[in-house]
Amino acid sequence: MIPVPGFEGRRVAVLGLGRSGLAALRALSAGGAEAVGWDDSPESRDRAQDAGMELRDLGARDGFEGVDRLIVSPGIPHLYPTPNRHVAAAMAAGVPVDNDIGLFFRSLGRGEWLRMDQPPRVVAVTGSNGKSTTAALIHHILTETGRPSQLAGNIGRGVLDIDPPQEGGVVVLELSSYQTELARALTPDIAVFTNLTPDHLDRHGGMGGYFAAKRRLFSEGGPDRAVIGVDEPEGRFLANQMAEAPEDDRLIRVSVEAKLSGPGWLVYARKGFLTEWRKGRQIASIDLRDIAGLPGAHNHQNACAAFAATRALGLSPRDIEAALNSFSGLPHRSQLVAEIDGVRFVNDSKATNADSAGKALQAFDRIRWIAGGLGKDGGIGSLAPYLGRVSKAYLIGHSARDFALALADVPHEVCGTMSEAVARAASEALPGDTVLLAPAAASFDQYPDFEKRGDDFVDRVRLLRG
């Protein structure tokens, strides 16, 4: 646990008693605060009480009397589309609002850290797609090369639940826009921006607000080094804002769409080869094509970002290359589940929007595509350039018929359920085909989250083996 100092004897309220909320309560109490929690769900309140947490009804008339700060869990809106009523009440009462990420960063650099010869470092990864794989890959590279590392934030453990990092250790954080938009302190040593595509637009009031939430990781205090994907206009703008001169190597530009040039620090992937340039000279080259855990151009982008971040931490290209080759990938992200009679079954349940599904479609040929769920604004029209790879689509969930209309002449079948889709795809697949779950939609019509959807796919595939 990371105890949170600075609130000794003061009352701090935590709204939302899921994983991060309970961790925040424990960390605040350990730091000497009078920590109280609230959740509108009776089940969540019961779990918190069973864990020994003190509750305070923030919806009561005097709910914020004597409260010095409100800590809000990531899923709770504070501005768009409308503020949560408790957050609105806190703001009306003048109570400052923060989240667990802000508490984490304000707690660093104190106590034991001041006496270390090599203080721990923090790498924070944000972006629309690939941030989980990039963060996990950085953690994997560090672990494989003998550097003590902890993975936390939106992946792994809650950020305040990790062990206090030791001398020379690294904390790798995956941060969503929900986490970066509200944190009052954001001071990583290295900040990584993978890419930006439309997502969560209702939560952020549009694309500009979404980008602004991501940009805060770089503007609120400023990292020592920034690794920025420059394949979208927003990434190029952010890179331009961070650099003081073309040769400023506090910035590492990353691309999988262009051969980068210039006097700065550059990492890009072309035709399956990762290349590093610095000060106009090539430093390293790595063949990514046969790394099973990193299929497709989107994973090559993740590899470039992880390579750049770990190079900024002082690791050698040779050590990074060896670690890349041992990376097995993450569940629900281009996860090879099985190969049965020459047919591959791949679980990319995390592809919850059209852009991430498009990246999955580009990674394979002869695809039996399982798609559908709770569709997002914009539908799947943007996937038209990749549909030539699809032999047939098997559509599930709420948006199955909308997807069917969008697919037009592409062979497709409305299956409704995962069970039916897997069975139909498996029965029609030929050796060399890939049965790919890349839904291009949220899961909440049929599953509580994308993990449960992916688990269902995996279970159905395993049943095929008998």
Side-chain angles (χ1 to χ4, degrees), residues 121 123 135-152 157 162 165-166 168-173 313:
R121 305 184 75 184
V123 180
L137 189 51
I138 292 169
H139 173 66
H140 173 79
I141 293 168
L142 291 167
T143 302
E144 289 292 295
T145 54
R147 292 283 294 272
S149 174
Q150 298 184 78
L151 183 63
R157 299 164 68 183
I162 66 171
Q166 301 303 305
V170 181
V171 178
V172 183
L173 302 180
L313 288 168

Side-chain angles (χ1 to χ4, degrees), residues 4-12 28 31-34 68 106 110:
V4 176
F7 296 105
E8 292 82 355
R10 296 161 62 189
R11 182 176 297 158
V12 180
L28 284 161
E34 180 189 332
D68 287 300
R106 69 173 283 152
R110 299 171 183 247

Side-chain angles (χ1 to χ4, degrees), residues 9-207:
R10 296 161 62 189
R11 182 176 297 158
V12 180
V14 176
L15 177 62
L17 300 177
R19 182 188 68 161
S20 66
L22 292 175
L25 279 172
R26 289 191 290 267
L28 284 161
S29 296
E34 180 189 332
V36 297
W38 184 252
D39 196 298
D40 286 339
S41 163
E43 294 80 7
S44 296
R45 296 198 298 268
D46 289 345
R47 284 195 297 269
Q49 280 192 309
D50 291 343
M53 305 300 177
E54 181 181 348
L55 299 180
R56 180 184 178 93
D57 185 355
L58 298 180
R61 183 185 296 270
D62 61 349
F64 284 96
E65 185 176 331
V67 173
D68 287 300
R69 186 149 309 195
L70 176 66
I71 306 304
V72 179
S73 295
I76 299 173
H78 62 276
L79 186 57
Y80 301 115
T82 56
N84 173 277
R85 64 190 181 97
H86 302 305
V87 178
M91 291 183 176
V95 175
V97 179
D98 201 350
N99 63 13
D100 63 330
I101 304 302
L103 294 181
F104 170 79
F105 279 109
R106 69 173 283 152
S107 303
L108 301 184
R110 299 171 183 247
E112 291 296 321
W113 284 41
L114 299 177
R115 294 184 285 276
M116 293 181 183
D117 293 329
Q118 291 184 306
R121 305 184 75 184
V122 178
V123 180
V125 182
T126 195
S128 296
N129 299 310
K131 57 185 178 293
S132 294
T133 298
T134 299
L137 189 51
I138 292 169
H139 173 66
H140 173 79
I141 293 168
L142 291 167
T143 302
E144 289 292 295
T145 54
R147 292 283 294 272
S149 174
Q150 298 184 78
L151 183 63
N154 206 41
I155 187 175
R157 299 164 68 183
V159 68
L160 293 172
D161 246 350
I162 66 171
D163 301 323
Q166 301 303 305
E167 183 153 342
V170 181
V171 178
V172 183
L173 302 180
E174 180 205 336
L175 299 181
S176 71
S177 57
Y178 290 7
Q179 294 169 308
T180 59
E181 69 174 344
L182 191 59
R184 286 174 168 256
L186 285 167
T187 54
D189 297 281
I190 298 170
V192 180
F193 177 88
T194 58
N195 51 56
L196 195 79
T197 58
D199 207 359
H200 310 305
L201 300 189
D202 59 337
R203 170 66 181 257
H204 299 293
M207 194 68 176

Side-chain angles (χ1 to χ4, degrees), residues 246-316:
E247 65 275 10
D248 187 350
D249 68 359
R250 294 174 303 167
L251 166 69
I252 308 177
R253 290 179 171 86
V254 168
S255 176
V256 290
E257 294 184 1
K259 181 179 179 180
L260 301 178
S261 62
W265 198 345
L266 315 169
V267 178
Y268 60 87
R270 297 280 286 170
K271 298 180 179 179
F273 285 87
L274 180 154
T275 303
E276 176 189 11
W277 285 74
R278 194 172 185 183
K279 298 179 180 178
R281 185 168 65 90
Q282 183 173 327
I283 304 298
S285 179
I286 297 174
D287 186 350
L288 303 173
R289 294 173 298 176
D290 294 328
I291 300 178
L294 296 168
H298 62 301
N299 275 309
H300 293 175
Q301 183 182 57
N302 301 333
C304 286
F307 177 93
T310 49
R311 286 287 286 138
L313 288 168
L315 274 63
S316 73

Side-chain angles (χ1 to χ4, degrees), residues 365-369 387-393 410-412 433:
D365 294 306
R366 294 175 52 186
I367 298 169
R368 303 279 172 173
W369 180 30
L387 297 181
R389 297 170 175 265
V390 176
S391 301
K392 184 175 176 179
V410 176
H412 60 269
D433 286 356

